[in-house]
């Protein structure tokens, strides 16, 4: 970010806690970090670059937090007060933990078969490309490290520990032999100096960001080491090039069953589940033993799952146990009032994507409506018509002329109704000079991005993408309006 004129005056950040707290408190650098990690996450038009009051700070914090959750970031355990209070109170440790979480998510988006098809060479045994892609990021990085260690004639590693930096030296020699100076590094007997040479000389020459101190590098801390390795991977992976036919085959194997709308929907559901504290990387694969979907049910309706009836030991679990768990999940879904016609436990075990996503959507919808019931409707049942009526009344009361008939209304594609709704909740949130007529594909995209980011700045945790608005995907738009209802003052 040193070349970004909007934050360059704050960089580099000093090493003491006060320097870090002062540099990060306005949230601007953290929002910029999110965009560095996963480009396009935040529409910087809504960012308060020079916040003048506490509410401006909080809006930037909300934007950072909710945008992070929308790409899969979780609050670290150390951040008990939440992101905004941690920043305002100068609690540096939890804030830096969150920064590492942002970097981890950004790294994971690059150490991925969809981004780097050459990773397929790290597949083991009978793994399919899809199974490989769903492996934990640390497992993939460790295989990548071992790929290069084997080429250097070194034993494979089982963890990220590197007490004498020999593994790092071997990896760097494979990736950057012209700048590594392997012999000079290994001749240095003071291990801390050796680590310092790697971090201060070799990585900067390789144009790789440096996150670790020499002691951190030598310690082999799994969290820190995996992020540093991931950054190195994103600079150069050093894997053998694939033939064009191999590349096309991998592309087909990964994407054949995913239509654009379905994969976006699955992404949104997955991040929603993570926001509940249920870890999920691929819904279809992760629900096949029944545990993840049961955890979701227990989150949205605490106590509904009788865990005594569930096999929770994955090591001892067999196909029969998985089917029994999934049958119990379907039974629990019925108790929640979900439609389960044509759905059996075996559909989960077999990975029937259409039926799995249909049930997860019902869970998400139930969760959203339960919150609205308690917050806005005095416990009475909520309908989509109630939500549409509320939104139209809000917009009309603010003197705007836009309106919708339902969440399938094609006029939603312009983004104008959602922007008017946001303005009706807080007029200061919307700068109409940044709003377009929504009359061209590009203008629709700009409005959609602006509305999503403004909602996040307002405090909404929304998981839809701008394409969902432009294409009028009613489920996703419903989730956004529900989030706005939840934070509205009335």
């Amino acid at each position: 970010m040193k070349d970004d004129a909007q934050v360059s005056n704050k960089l580099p950040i000093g090493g003491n806690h006060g320097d870090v707290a002062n540099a990060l408190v306005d949230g601007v650098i953290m929002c910029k970090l999110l965009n560095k990690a996963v480009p396009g996450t935040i529409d910087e038009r809504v960012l308060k670059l020079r916040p003048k009051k506490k509410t401006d700070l909080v809006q930037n914090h909300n934007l950072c937090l909710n945008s992070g959750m929308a790409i899969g970031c979780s609050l670290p355990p150390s951040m008990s007060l939440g992101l905004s209070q941690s920043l305002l109170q100068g609690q540096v440790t939890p804030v830096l933990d969150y920064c590492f979480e942002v970097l981890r998510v950004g790294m994971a988006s690059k150490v991925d078969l969809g981004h780097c098809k050459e990773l397929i060479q790290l597949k083991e045994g009978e793994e399919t490309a899809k199974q490989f892609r769903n492996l934990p990021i640390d497992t993939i990085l460790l295989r990548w490290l071992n790929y290069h260690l084997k080429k250097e004639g070194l034993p494979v590693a089982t963890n990220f520990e590197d007490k004498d930096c020999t593994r790092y030296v071997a990896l760097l020699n494979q990736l950057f032999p012209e700048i590594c100076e392997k012999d000079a590094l290994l001749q240095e007997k003071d291990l801390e100096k050796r680590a310092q040479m790697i971090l201060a000389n070799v990585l900067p020459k390789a144009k790789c960001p440096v996150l670790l101190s020499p002691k951190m590098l030598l310690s082999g801390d799994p969290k820190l080491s995996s992020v540093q390795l991931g950054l190195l991977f994103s600079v150069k992976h050093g894997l053998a090039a694939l033939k064009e036919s191999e590349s096309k085959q991998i592309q087909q194997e990964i994407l054949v069953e995913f239509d654009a709308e379905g994969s976006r929907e699955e992404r949104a559901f997955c991040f929603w589940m993570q926001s509940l504290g249920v870890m999920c990387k691929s819904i279809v694969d992760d629900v096949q033993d029944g545990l993840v979907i049961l955890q979701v049910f227990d989150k949205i309706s605490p106590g509904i799952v009788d865990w005594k009836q569930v096999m929770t030991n994955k090591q001892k679990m067999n196909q029969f146990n998985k089917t029994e768990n999934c049958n119990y999940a379907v039974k629990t879904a019925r108790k929640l009032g979900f439609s389960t016609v044509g759905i059996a436990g075996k559909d989960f075990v077999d990975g029937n994507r259409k039926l799995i996503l249909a049930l997860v959507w019902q869970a998400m919808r139930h969760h959203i409506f339960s919150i609205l019931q308690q917050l806005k409707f005095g416990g009475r049942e909520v309908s989509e018509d109630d939500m549409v009526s509320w939104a139209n009344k809000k917009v009309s009361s603010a003197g705007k002329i836009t309106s919708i008939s339902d969440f399938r209304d094609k006029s939603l594609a312009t983004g104008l109704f959602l922007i008017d709704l946001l303005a009706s909740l807080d007029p200061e949130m919307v700068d109409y000079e940044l709003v377009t007529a929504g009359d061209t594909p590009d203008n629709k995209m700009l409005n959609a991005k602006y509305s999503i980011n403004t909602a996040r700045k307002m405090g909404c945790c929304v998981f839809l993408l701008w394409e969902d608005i432009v294409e009028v995907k009613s489920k996703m738009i419903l989730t956004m309006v529900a989030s706005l209802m939840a934070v509205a003052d009335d």
Side-chain angles (χ1 to χ4, degrees):
M1 283 184 266
K2 67 181 187 303
D3 298 324
D4 188 329
Q6 294 175 335
V7 293
S8 59
N9 63 313
K10 300 178 183 179
L11 302 172
I13 299 173
N16 65 59
H17 275 208
D19 293 335
V20 176
N22 289 334
L24 300 183
V25 67
D26 64 7
V28 175
I29 287 179
M30 296 191 69
C31 285
K32 297 274 188 178
L33 179 65
L34 268 166
N35 266 355
K36 284 286 184 182
V38 182
T41 299
I42 289 177
D43 183 346
E44 294 188 9
R45 292 179 297 166
V46 308
L47 190 57
K48 298 273 189 178
L49 293 172
R50 294 176 182 80
K52 298 176 181 177
K53 50 187 187 274
K54 184 179 177 181
T55 53
D56 293 341
L57 295 174
V58 172
Q59 286 173 15
N60 280 352
H61 301 163
N62 286 342
L63 181 62
C64 179
L65 174 64
N66 292 315
S67 298
M69 293 180 73
I71 60 170
C73 295
S74 303
L75 282 183
S78 59
M79 194 171 277
S80 57
L81 296 178
L83 179 61
S84 189
Q85 285 304 310
S86 296
L87 285 165
L88 292 172
Q89 295 183 21
Q91 296 192 357
V92 171
T93 299
V95 171
L96 290 180
D97 284 345
Y98 184 71
C99 289
F100 267 102
E101 173 70 1
V102 171
L103 290 171
R104 181 194 65 79
V105 170
M107 170 195 70
S109 70
K110 296 175 179 64
V111 186
D112 179 78
L113 201 52
H115 186 270
C116 174
K117 297 183 184 66
E118 289 80 6
L119 279 168
I120 198 68
Q121 296 164 82
L122 307 182
K123 193 163 62 74
E124 293 181 355
E126 299 299 315
E127 283 176 347
T128 65
K130 191 164 182 283
Q131 288 170 333
F132 173 81
R133 194 180 191 186
N134 290 328
L135 289 173
I137 186 68
D138 287 358
T139 300
I140 296 175
L141 280 172
L142 198 57
R143 289 188 189 181
W144 173 68
L145 173 63
N146 284 330
Y147 171 93
H148 290 294
L149 293 182
K150 288 175 185 175
K151 293 176 76 173
E152 284 281 309
L154 293 180
V156 298
T158 57
N159 54 49
F160 293 118
E161 191 175 278
D162 193 12
K163 291 182 177 178
D164 58 4
C165 291
T166 54
R167 291 172 179 168
Y168 247 97
V169 172
L171 176 61
L172 290 168
N173 191 54
Q174 282 291 310
L175 297 177
F176 309 103
E178 68 283 1
I179 60 174
C180 176
E181 299 182 1
K182 175 182 176 181
D183 292 340
L185 288 169
L186 294 178
Q187 284 167 11
E188 176 56 67
K189 300 306 179 186
D190 185 316
L191 297 182
E192 197 161 325
K193 284 184 180 178
R194 184 185 293 179
Q196 178 65 23
M197 290 167 69
I198 291 172
L199 298 171
N201 298 330
V202 184
L203 291 187
K205 287 180 182 177
K207 302 191 183 314
C208 177
V210 177
L211 298 178
L212 307 183
S213 68
K215 287 183 179 178
M216 289 175 179
L217 180 60
L218 293 167
S219 74
D221 179 280
K223 179 179 74 173
L224 303 178
S225 297
S226 67
V227 173
Q228 185 66 70
L229 280 173
L231 291 172
L232 191 54
F233 177 95
S234 67
V235 174
K236 185 176 182 180
H237 57 70
L239 297 167
L242 298 177
K243 297 177 182 177
E244 186 177 350
S245 58
E246 292 174 319
S247 180
K248 287 182 178 178
Q249 181 182 348
I250 294 163
Q251 186 79 1
Q252 183 70 11
E253 197 172 339
I254 297 172
L255 299 179
V256 67
E257 61 182 285
F258 292 96
D259 60 279
E261 178 187 350
S263 54
R264 288 207 309 268
E265 196 173 83
E266 183 173 351
R267 170 195 175 278
F269 294 167
C270 195
F271 291 150
W272 166 71
M273 290 162 72
Q274 289 183 26
S275 75
L276 298 177
V278 178
M279 290 302 101
C280 176
K281 186 171 182 180
S282 166
I283 289 179
V284 175
D285 294 318
D286 290 349
V287 303
Q288 289 179 15
D289 61 11
L291 294 181
V292 165
I293 194 67
L294 285 168
Q295 289 172 33
V296 169
F297 290 165
D298 211 32
K299 290 285 186 180
I300 65 175
S301 183
I304 198 165
V305 176
D306 180 359
W307 289 103
K308 293 178 182 178
Q309 297 188 46
V310 183
M311 166 58 85
T312 58
N313 190 326
K314 284 180 173 285
Q315 278 68 43
K316 294 183 179 180
M317 196 180 294
N318 55 35
Q319 200 73 1
F320 174 78
N321 299 137
K322 291 180 180 180
T323 303
E324 285 293 291
N325 281 356
C326 292
N327 283 336
Y328 181 61
V330 174
K331 181 180 177 182
T332 306
R334 291 194 193 103
K335 286 173 65 177
L336 286 163
F338 300 167
S339 172
T340 59
V341 177
I343 302 178
K346 190 174 182 300
D347 294 312
F348 284 72
V349 178
D350 293 343
N352 187 317
R353 185 166 175 264
K354 183 178 179 180
L355 295 180
I356 289 170
L357 294 184
L359 197 64
V360 173
W361 163 243
Q362 290 186 76
M364 186 177 185
R365 189 178 186 277
H366 173 89
H367 182 235
I368 291 168
F369 278 39
S370 294
I371 293 171
L372 293 180
Q373 268 182 244
Q374 300 306 315
L375 289 179
K376 303 294 177 183
F377 292 90
R380 79 166 175 84
E381 193 171 327
V382 186
S383 68
E384 290 188 23
D385 287 342
D386 290 326
M387 295 173 66
V388 171
S389 175
W390 172 84
N392 280 328
K393 286 177 181 176
K394 276 290 180 185
V395 171
S396 176
S397 67
K400 305 297 181 182
I401 61 171
T402 56
S403 66
I404 57 171
S405 56
D406 54 33
F407 292 124
R408 296 171 185 79
D409 193 314
K410 294 302 180 184
S411 69
L412 283 161
T414 66
L416 293 174
F417 178 80
L418 292 173
I419 290 172
D420 286 345
L421 178 57
L422 286 158
S424 74
L425 301 181
D426 186 346
E428 292 186 4
M429 279 283 182
V430 174
D431 180 355
Y432 274 98
E433 290 187 4
L434 299 175
V435 179
T436 75
D439 52 350
T440 67
D442 283 347
N443 283 344
K444 289 176 182 178
M445 175 191 70
L446 288 169
N447 284 353
K449 287 183 175 182
Y450 186 72
S451 66
I452 291 169
N453 282 266
T454 303
R456 288 173 180 159
K457 188 169 72 170
M458 193 177 283
C460 296
C461 185
V462 292
F463 302 101
L464 78 171
L465 299 175
W466 66 266
E467 294 94 334
D468 296 319
I469 293 176
V470 170
E471 296 171 17
V472 192
K473 300 305 177 187
S474 58
K475 292 179 185 176
M476 295 296 99
I477 292 174
L478 180 152
T479 65
M480 180 170 172
V481 173
S483 294
L484 292 172
M485 284 187 78
V487 301
D489 288 335
D490 61 357

